[in-house]
Amino acid sequence: MPDREEPNARGLFGGVFARGGVDADDTAWLQAMLDTEAGLARALERAGLAPAGAGDAVTAAARAANFDPNELGGLAALTGNPVPGLARALARRVPQTAVSAVHRGATSQDIVDTAAMLLAKRAIGVMQADLVRVADAAAGLAAAHRATIMIGRTLLQQAVPVTFGLVAAGWLTSVDEARAGLDTVGPRLAVQFGGAAGTLASLGESGQRVATLLAEELGLAVPVLPWHTDRLRILDLGAALARVAAALGKIARDVTLLAQSEVGEVSEGAHQRGADQPGADQRGADQQAPAASPRRGGSSAMPHKRNPVASIAILGCSRQVPGLLATLTMATEQELQRAAGAWHAEWEPLTALLRLTGSASSWAADLLPGLVVDTSRMAANLAATKGLPLAEHVSSLLAGVLGGAQAHDLVAEAGARAVSAGLPLRDVLLSVPKLEERLSAAGITAEQIDSALEPSGYLGAADAFVASALDAHEALEVHHG
Amino acid sequence: MPDREEPNARGLFGGVFARGGVDADDTAWLQAMLDTEAGLARALERAGLAPAGAGDAVTAAARAANFDPNELGGLAALTGNPVPGLARALARRVPQTAVSAVHRGATSQDIVDTAAMLLAKRAIGVMQADLVRVADAAAGLAAAHRATIMIGRTLLQQAVPVTFGLVAAGWLTSVDEARAGLDTVGPRLAVQFGGAAGTLASLGESGQRVATLLAEELGLAVPVLPWHTDRLRILDLGAALARVAAALGKIARDVTLLAQSEVGEVSEGAHQRGADQPGADQRGADQQAPAASPRRGGSSAMPHKRNPVASIAILGCSRQVPGLLATLTMATEQELQRAAGAWHAEWEPLTALLRLTGSASSWAADLLPGLVVDTSRMAANLAATKGLPLAEHVSSLLAGVLGGAQAHDLVAEAGARAVSAGLPLRDVLLSVPKLEERLSAAGITAEQIDSALEPSGYLGAADAFVASALDAHEALEVHHG
Amino acid sequence: MPDREEPNARGLFGGVFARGGVDADDTAWLQAMLDTEAGLARALERAGLAPAGAGDAVTAAARAANFDPNELGGLAALTGNPVPGLARALARRVPQTAVSAVHRGATSQDIVDTAAMLLAKRAIGVMQADLVRVADAAAGLAAAHRATIMIGRTLLQQAVPVTFGLVAAGWLTSVDEARAGLDTVGPRLAVQFGGAAGTLASLGESGQRVATLLAEELGLAVPVLPWHTDRLRILDLGAALARVAAALGKIARDVTLLAQSEVGEVSEGAHQRGADQPGADQRGADQQAPAASPRRGGSSAMPHKRNPVASIAILGCSRQVPGLLATLTMATEQELQRAAGAWHAEWEPLTALLRLTGSASSWAADLLPGLVVDTSRMAANLAATKGLPLAEHVSSLLAGVLGGAQAHDLVAEAGARAVSAGLPLRDVLLSVPKLEERLSAAGITAEQIDSALEPSGYLGAADAFVASALDAHEALEVHHG
Amino acid sequence: MPDREEPNARGLFGGVFARGGVDADDTAWLQAMLDTEAGLARALERAGLAPAGAGDAVTAAARAANFDPNELGGLAALTGNPVPGLARALARRVPQTAVSAVHRGATSQDIVDTAAMLLAKRAIGVMQADLVRVADAAAGLAAAHRATIMIGRTLLQQAVPVTFGLVAAGWLTSVDEARAGLDTVGPRLAVQFGGAAGTLASLGESGQRVATLLAEELGLAVPVLPWHTDRLRILDLGAALARVAAALGKIARDVTLLAQSEVGEVSEGAHQRGADQPGADQRGADQQAPAASPRRGGSSAMPHKRNPVASIAILGCSRQVPGLLATLTMATEQELQRAAGAWHAEWEPLTALLRLTGSASSWAADLLPGLVVDTSRMAANLAATKGLPLAEHVSSLLAGVLGGAQAHDLVAEAGARAVSAGLPLRDVLLSVPKLEERLSAAGITAEQIDSALEPSGYLGAADAFVASALDAHEALEVHHG
């Protein structure tokens, strides 16, 4: 008989793939199915279709700890799903007077689908709490680093300057988009209640009324129709979760790249790597190996190594998402009044999506608040190409005097010389006789060149964009109240 | 030099996979990229960053017919995308005074991404027009067949009665959900304009203003930030298209199953299969082979065969969607300021998604309005199991008198006998001495049994659900104006 | 401390998705990792790099029951994988003299990857045993039904006659192809042993020697190189498993279609549906509800219903496979000497693939041996279209006399009349004056028409194909010894 | 009327996604279908089922240039595939005496599937030629750089030394594995020939004989059975192509990472970026813009930028593969004797897989032979962490004297100090009094420390692994003859 397990009882890979507060394991499924059966009993009682007290009696019995998932799983082999076994077992645990309120009017799919909606609703609540921490941290970085200049990198090559504030603003915007998507999916989480073939025939005239009461009891929406074989809301849920994974996966990829030994512009925070501030996940470790506990991401044999564990874990989660979403999408083609296989094929990928996006959110809520930013490495990396990222700016300065074509050619020549000689662009422009003469002739001063080579002068709308992202974030916060 | 091709010039498989009005081929892409460049020139002029007349001059030159996709494709091999070649070619076609307005401030990704948004916006418009025909046809079927009883089938087995009106209402609801999803994605179709690394540095203080004007010119939304490596809106678009495919694929699957030789409850319409009402697609065929033109879905060698070609084509389209959506989902992990590969990997699947969901929508707009419903086959199939689908109803009748357990056992026994003997359930109940006696003893009359065995009396909320679906459809129509 | 769980302890959905003998749960993973560590200790001892007895000492300690997956999972959050925690815990359980043999030379990925290979090898062995039962059953059906004529169905429409023997031969061939694919993947299951960056630096000159001994100890192949970031063998494994799912999914789809109420040509066997022959999976159910135990696939409320539970379960498994294979394929892009995320993203989908294809194999080994074939329904369905499936044959008979074009037109006309009038094709051909005259004039007798309308005369190579499939099956059996 | 198009006529994105010699466009498909029809006519003639000369007559007419893909595509809308229209059009182009040899015995799927096999066979031939260039180039790099030391990077962090030869050997091994996979799939490319429902009924006794002759004519294998709904060989083909993409995608990812501005250890070759050695792809560009032709991957505005265009293009191709393979895998579930949709859903993804893996192979054959290796940057990056990657080696040196635990602690302390002080590990070990004393006390000399810190002494089996990879490559070459 499983009781609600302690937070970390999630198995060998759960530390990576099932972190944080989202529950989508067998016990959570079992409880959600029982909650559905209990809600149905209460709804039936309210509709006058079950005796007074039946709702409470069923609710009292409907505790996961009273049932054995393994036994129910064995019975599921007879019918293809665990509900018939569960309904019988539940009926055996309620007083005789309440038996008629158990599972009345429902088909197995009503229970499984509604339970999935309950799991999703709960998971989304947990994720939203994590994601607000992620977004706030990103907003904090964006605000703090509006003036922190670094090199922008396109196609993994240094390009032109940006600010780290703008990078963080990009993270913020996508996380806020993901949060808004979770908001939107909420009203799509609807009760499933249609009976054997979607007519609720066994409830006679009372079907729609019971469905509405059931939705009320469970805090879910009322659908236009039973949706046994209209799976768009499953797809909506999958897509909303995939958006979370997409936003977090992009951040994690950026962190792994910026944290490379040769780049070194960010690293996962020290407070995240030691035994000094053990969160729930580390507790076991500490008790087990007080002395030899590794710092997170560290390797005593390779003391220079600071593995970005949180980012890697996020990527390990997010990269499983596309395939799972494909399975859900494929499974939308469901036959007639109940699908032979396609419905069944949804359960595991939906569970995995909830768990993995929940885990990624939890990791991200750890990652971003603790991110260490090395502004000196940013400055050094920007300087390493000796002015070349500003060539475009110099070119536009000269264009006003020389015309675009000449300006372009002159700077291109200077740039090529600078690359081949390993010299700063400034030195080439001001020291190579032929070039320097043309600049002088055009009335361009060394001060003007220096000014054009100053990265802070070539940031365009970067700061305005950061402001926009922060404004949008604030508006979302207000909306969330 | 390609001109806008005639509607059917879509190649060997285009009749199946590129039907209808959605354009997503090279010419459409080329024109959308040119429209973006032209819109940018006009926006620059409005912002005072390009000479008067430059906008018009670039717009005049920006016609796909002026450019050769193959040549641009060859050039794309130098840079990894076709925009640098296109921008140079466009610049050569405008007056010298307007050259400075070509591509100013933009990076290649700005043009490709914005063009993709334009393609999507146009495709969605076309799809919406097809889908309203699909939805209206489904609504018509739902209304016309509210009282047409048929057997519901779960797990591909006959279960309990439903109405064909309810089946059509299910199709209607999912198509309307898909339409609403396309509505929602509209505001997510935003201009992309960020320059080399997302700062619009080369436009100095004017970046955001030009971006806003560009969005105005093109009828697209203004994003909070350039979204070069925040791909959630691509995922949103992919998911909205996948919803369309999901809704249509489910309908097509139902039609292929209901049209099976042994079921025969629906068939694709005759007007869709002959040369008598040739649409655009059939024209070529007719001219080519006036006498021997095949009816659609027919086979002269197998005169009984009525292949559900439209449904098969829809499935041929819809089943490609999950994999393509997976690719877009995977591609959301984009590095730093521009992705090295992930961005490029989006172009083809996004194009395919637009084309395939467009084609499926066009097929569906042909399929549903012409669907032939055979109500006599529906009645015959319902009758074939001789009352067994109503066993549950009989059982509930008896339960009031005998109690649930006894009622269940009695009907179960009768059902088992009926199956093994091949007799109607009614005959077993009323003729097998032991059973008949128990019914008499309980005061159950033959009339009551007959009434319980009447399918029309066991439809529960079917009609009410149809009404709900029709109401929701009407509300969406009102919303769409 | 988990011990090897009893066979059914697989949770709420395990009865469907984790049936049969394949073990891929946490305990199986843990044991496989421990087996790898133990094999390494023995290999090191054999190579002279660990003291005598160290191999045995580590092997003795390396029992899953000695370790707690939840605790190791918690520790995994520090490093991103469970191996460092496991290696330390294992070291604490061996005598001091053997500590140096624990994990020496290895990196975490060596242990995880090699463990995955062990899991795969064991799973494949179990699957092969199930699949031979499936293939033998298909061969039995093919042999028994070489002369059982049924209608072939293309595009879900009745087409021309086939034999059920040929249908079963098709199933046989694909299952045998899947088995051969599992044979092929065997030699690809290689040990992983490369150390921190694939050089085995810490073992000096002995690296390759230890790798070879480790492979010997574990019964795995020796790879050319450590394959830390060359994941083709993971893809090979995934593809071989997907082939199993493909072969079984096709069979299951056919069974669900042929078992439809309106078709009724096959059904899942009675011995599979009752409590009379309970297998391991049913045992729990029987003990729990001896009297009210449902027959598998049955519904006492709907006594006509015979849900094809095994087929549905197979489809519920097989339809999860494409998305999981996509994830593994995507994960082949692994960075430099160890991937940051892509490697981690493999663990869960690989585990799921082993479990799901194992479960599908187990279900299929239950399904096919018990399949009930209803030859009278086959005959009745064939007769239902009243000779039309033989129109092509009649046409070819006439072509010899009338020429192809005339023959075609005559039969096409007769077919159209037969369809519209609901008459047998024979009657139309021999009774409609105009047609009958032309046949007489051509010297075609009624006997010849009758002969052409005899399905057994229009089976072409069906029997020869069955023979080929049986021969190929026998050859594979011989090969397997 | 399309003629074989010139090499670059592949549209707007073809320069990226359709590079090289693989033909999988409409014209190639059309020709392959015609080749199948022609082969069938010749086979029928050889079997005595068609008049003498019919084979040649059909073969002469069966040229793609004689047919219009757009018209056939329009006709395809009537039947769901282009073959019926093509067969009629072909029949109209042959002499009356040969008409009976056109399409005799065949069903549309026979032609489409066999054509797909022909396309695949040709594409594989082209790919193999490109891949041998890739493999030879990798072998060349492996051999040339056996002694080129660089830092190994795990989880995108510097770890311990490797050689660039070993990196290249890893690339070589995976490309050779991919090549071997293509070899293996060859015998799986079998003719499809089964007629309407897989019995070849219309050919009476001659079916298998004609199938065998057809296979001979086309150079394809003879399958055990027609495989209309056994799609394992499509999956095999998809998997073999995915392996190619996997091997090349990994290489491309490595190159993009090693080519990062901050790493700079490799770059795409200069000969690949200029106008000086224009290949087929560059020709158009040169003619168009002789003066302003961009170097590949370059940007005149950002002279420091060297975009790794070939690698990016490979990734743009390879990242589309997982989703496409998922679609093919999903499509293996095909109903009864011909699938309603699943078969159709194969055509486009299979075509795309051939094109994309072909394009990636062509790009790779350009990339690797021209790869520029910067050994001085490798040395500099290795030196940047000042000895820390060798800490493990020092630790093992000390362990012999101090014991493992003490050795570990001493080096860990030294490493931590080195990191925090930014000093070389050597200096800390030999200058910090407390540490130096302990080393002296243990009899460890500075020379020994220096030796342990020498990267070339800590390469383990790197060289032996390179030798193994080169040996395996040679063996494959011998096998290929």
Side-chain angles (χ1 to χ4, degrees), chain D residues 38-379:
Chain D
L40 176 56
R42 296 193 303 272
L44 289 165
E45 182 181 338
R46 286 174 62 189
L49 295 173
D56 282 352
V58 175
T59 303
R63 295 179 46 242
N66 292 338
F67 303 86
D68 178 353
N70 290 324
E71 187 187 312
L72 295 172
L75 284 167
L78 296 172
T79 55
N81 78 73
V83 173
L86 177 63
R88 269 195 296 277
L90 177 59
R92 282 196 296 272
R93 296 192 73 94
V94 301
Q96 191 54 37
T97 54
V99 165
S100 68
V102 172
H103 200 66
R104 177 161 178 205
T107 191
S108 295
Q109 188 172 4
D110 292 337
I111 306 305
V112 173
D113 281 354
T114 304
M117 294 293 103
L118 288 175
L119 282 182
K121 190 184 163 96
R122 293 165 189 168
I124 287 172
V126 172
M127 261 181 256
Q128 288 281 33
D130 276 334
L131 291 175
V132 72
R133 294 175 57 202
V134 178
D136 286 347
L141 291 167
H145 291 283
R146 285 173 86 141
T148 303
I149 304 177
M150 64 187 281
I151 186 71
R153 293 173 182 93
T154 59
L155 308 170
L156 295 181
Q157 295 288 307
Q158 289 201 357
V160 298
V162 299
T163 63
F164 183 63
L166 180 60
V167 171
W171 298 347
L172 169 63
T173 301
S174 65
V175 172
D176 277 347
E177 287 176 318
R179 293 167 65 208
L182 291 177
D183 290 345
T184 306
V185 89
R188 294 284 293 157
L189 301 179
V191 77
Q192 175 70 282
F193 193 56
T199 62
L200 288 169
S202 69
L203 296 182
E205 304 290 303
S206 308
Q208 282 191 317
R209 165 110 179 99
V210 175
T212 302
L213 292 170
L214 175 57
E216 256 184 56
E217 289 291 331
L218 299 177
L220 295 172
V222 181
V224 174
L225 295 183
W227 43 282
H228 291 147
T229 51
D230 168 7
R231 311 308 283 176
L232 268 68
R233 68 192 71 227
I234 297 291
L235 183 48
D236 291 344
L237 176 55
L241 297 173
R243 296 170 97 255
V244 172
L248 301 180
K250 190 271 185 289
I251 295 172
R253 176 78 320 186
D254 281 359
V255 171
T256 58
L257 289 170
L258 296 175
Q260 289 174 102
S261 309
E262 293 83 0
V263 178
E265 299 185 357
V266 306
S267 57
E268 295 196 1
H271 85 277
Q272 299 160 326
R273 279 199 308 273
D276 44 339
Q277 295 187 19
D281 291 297
Q282 283 81 42
R283 210 180 311 132
D286 300 331
Q287 292 164 350
Q288 201 60 36
S293 172
R295 61 185 169 93
R296 188 165 99 193
S299 159
S300 58
M302 297 189 278
H304 55 302
K305 223 162 180 273
R306 290 189 159 199
N307 294 327
V309 171
S311 302
I312 291 165
I314 291 169
L315 292 168
C317 293
S318 66
R319 289 186 164 199
Q320 295 185 53
V321 167
L324 296 167
L325 181 61
T327 303
L328 291 186
T329 306
M330 184 186 345
T332 55
E333 188 195 306
Q334 302 212 348
E335 302 106 349
L336 301 169
Q337 280 67 55
R338 173 134 51 263
W343 170 50
H344 308 74
E346 285 175 357
W347 309 338
E348 294 199 328
L350 183 56
T351 303
L353 278 172
L354 291 169
R355 175 173 50 77
L356 291 167
T357 52
S359 190
S361 299
S362 171
W363 279 109
D366 190 57
L367 168 66
L368 273 204
L371 193 74
V372 177
V373 181
D374 187 335
T375 56
S376 62
R377 285 294 292 270
M378 289 177 176

Side-chain angles (χ1 to χ4, degrees), chain D residues 397-418:
Chain D
L397 163 72
L398 303 192
V401 190
L402 302 175
Q406 275 203 51
H408 174 279
D409 290 352
L410 188 152
V411 175
E413 185 184 342
R417 279 172 181 256

Side-chain angles (χ1 to χ4, degrees), chain C residues 79 150-156 159-163 166-167 169-171 173-175 177-178 184 188 193-194 196-205 207-208 211 223-226 229-230 232-233 235-236 239 242-247 249-250 253-255 257-258 315 318-319 321-323 325-327 329-341 343-344 392-393 458-462 464-466 468-470 472, chain D residues 79 150-156 159-163 166-167 169-171 173-175 177-178 184 188 193-194 196-205 207-208 211 223-226 229-230 232-233 235-236 239 242-247 249-250 253-255 257-258 315 318-319 321-323 325-327 329-341 343-344 392-393 458-462 464-466 468-470 472:
Chain C
T79 55
M150 64 185 282
I151 187 69
R153 294 173 181 91
T154 58
L155 309 171
L156 293 182
V160 298
V162 300
T163 63
L166 181 60
V167 171
W171 298 347
T173 301
S174 65
V175 172
E177 288 176 318
T184 306
R188 293 284 292 157
F193 192 56
T199 61
L200 289 169
S202 69
L203 296 182
E205 303 290 303
Q208 281 192 316
V224 175
L225 295 184
T229 51
D230 167 8
L232 268 67
R233 69 192 70 228
L235 183 48
D236 291 344
R243 295 170 98 257
V244 172
K250 190 268 185 290
R253 174 81 319 190
D254 282 359
V255 171
L257 289 170
L258 296 175
L315 292 168
S318 66
R319 288 187 166 201
V321 168
L325 181 61
T327 304
T329 307
M330 183 186 346
T332 55
E333 187 195 308
Q334 301 211 350
E335 301 105 349
L336 302 169
Q337 279 68 54
R338 171 133 51 265
W343 169 51
H344 309 73
E392 188 186 44
H393 200 199
Y458 200 59
L459 291 169
F465 282 141
V466 173
S468 297
L470 291 172
Chain D
T79 55
M150 64 187 281
I151 186 71
R153 293 173 182 93
T154 59
L155 308 170
L156 295 181
V160 298
V162 299
T163 63
L166 180 60
V167 171
W171 298 347
T173 301
S174 65
V175 172
E177 287 176 318
T184 306
R188 294 284 293 157
F193 193 56
T199 62
L200 288 169
S202 69
L203 296 182
E205 304 290 303
Q208 282 191 317
V224 174
L225 295 183
T229 51
D230 168 7
L232 268 68
R233 68 192 71 227
L235 183 48
D236 291 344
R243 296 170 97 255
V244 172
K250 190 271 185 289
R253 176 78 320 186
D254 281 359
V255 171
L257 289 170
L258 296 175
L315 292 168
S318 66
R319 289 186 164 199
V321 167
L325 181 61
T327 303
T329 306
M330 184 186 345
T332 55
E333 188 195 306
Q334 302 212 348
E335 302 106 349
L336 301 169
Q337 280 67 55
R338 173 134 51 263
W343 170 50
H344 308 74
E392 187 186 43
H393 199 197
Y458 200 59
L459 291 170
F465 281 141
V466 173
S468 297
L470 291 172

Side-chain angles (χ1 to χ4, degrees), chain B residues 147-238:
Chain B
T148 303
I149 304 177
M150 63 186 283
I151 186 70
R153 295 173 180 92
T154 58
L155 308 169
L156 293 182
Q157 296 287 305
Q158 289 201 356
V160 297
V162 298
T163 62
F164 183 61
L166 181 59
V167 171
W171 298 347
L172 170 62
T173 301
S174 65
V175 172
D176 277 346
E177 287 176 319
R179 293 166 65 210
L182 292 178
D183 291 344
T184 306
V185 88
R188 293 285 293 158
L189 302 179
V191 77
Q192 176 71 283
F193 192 57
T199 61
L200 290 169
S202 70
L203 296 182
E205 303 290 304
S206 308
Q208 282 192 315
R209 165 113 179 99
V210 174
T212 301
L213 292 170
L214 175 58
E216 256 183 55
E217 290 291 331
L218 300 177
L220 295 172
V222 181
V224 174
L225 294 183
W227 43 281
H228 291 149
T229 51
D230 167 7
R231 309 309 282 178
L232 268 67
R233 65 193 73 227
I234 297 291
L235 183 48
D236 291 343
L237 176 56

Side-chain angles (χ1 to χ4, degrees), chain B residues 48-136:
Chain B
L49 296 174
D56 283 351
V58 175
T59 303
R63 296 180 45 244
N66 292 338
F67 303 87
D68 178 354
N70 290 325
E71 186 188 314
L72 295 172
L75 284 168
L78 296 172
T79 55
N81 78 74
V83 173
L86 176 64
R88 270 194 297 275
L90 177 60
R92 281 195 298 271
R93 294 191 74 92
V94 300
Q96 192 54 37
T97 53
V99 165
S100 68
V102 173
H103 200 67
R104 178 161 176 206
T107 191
S108 294
Q109 187 171 5
D110 292 337
I111 306 305
V112 172
D113 281 355
T114 303
M117 293 294 103
L118 288 175
L119 281 180
K121 188 183 165 97
R122 292 163 189 171
I124 286 173
V126 171
M127 260 182 254
Q128 288 281 32
D130 276 333
L131 291 175
V132 74
R133 294 176 58 202
V134 178
D136 286 347

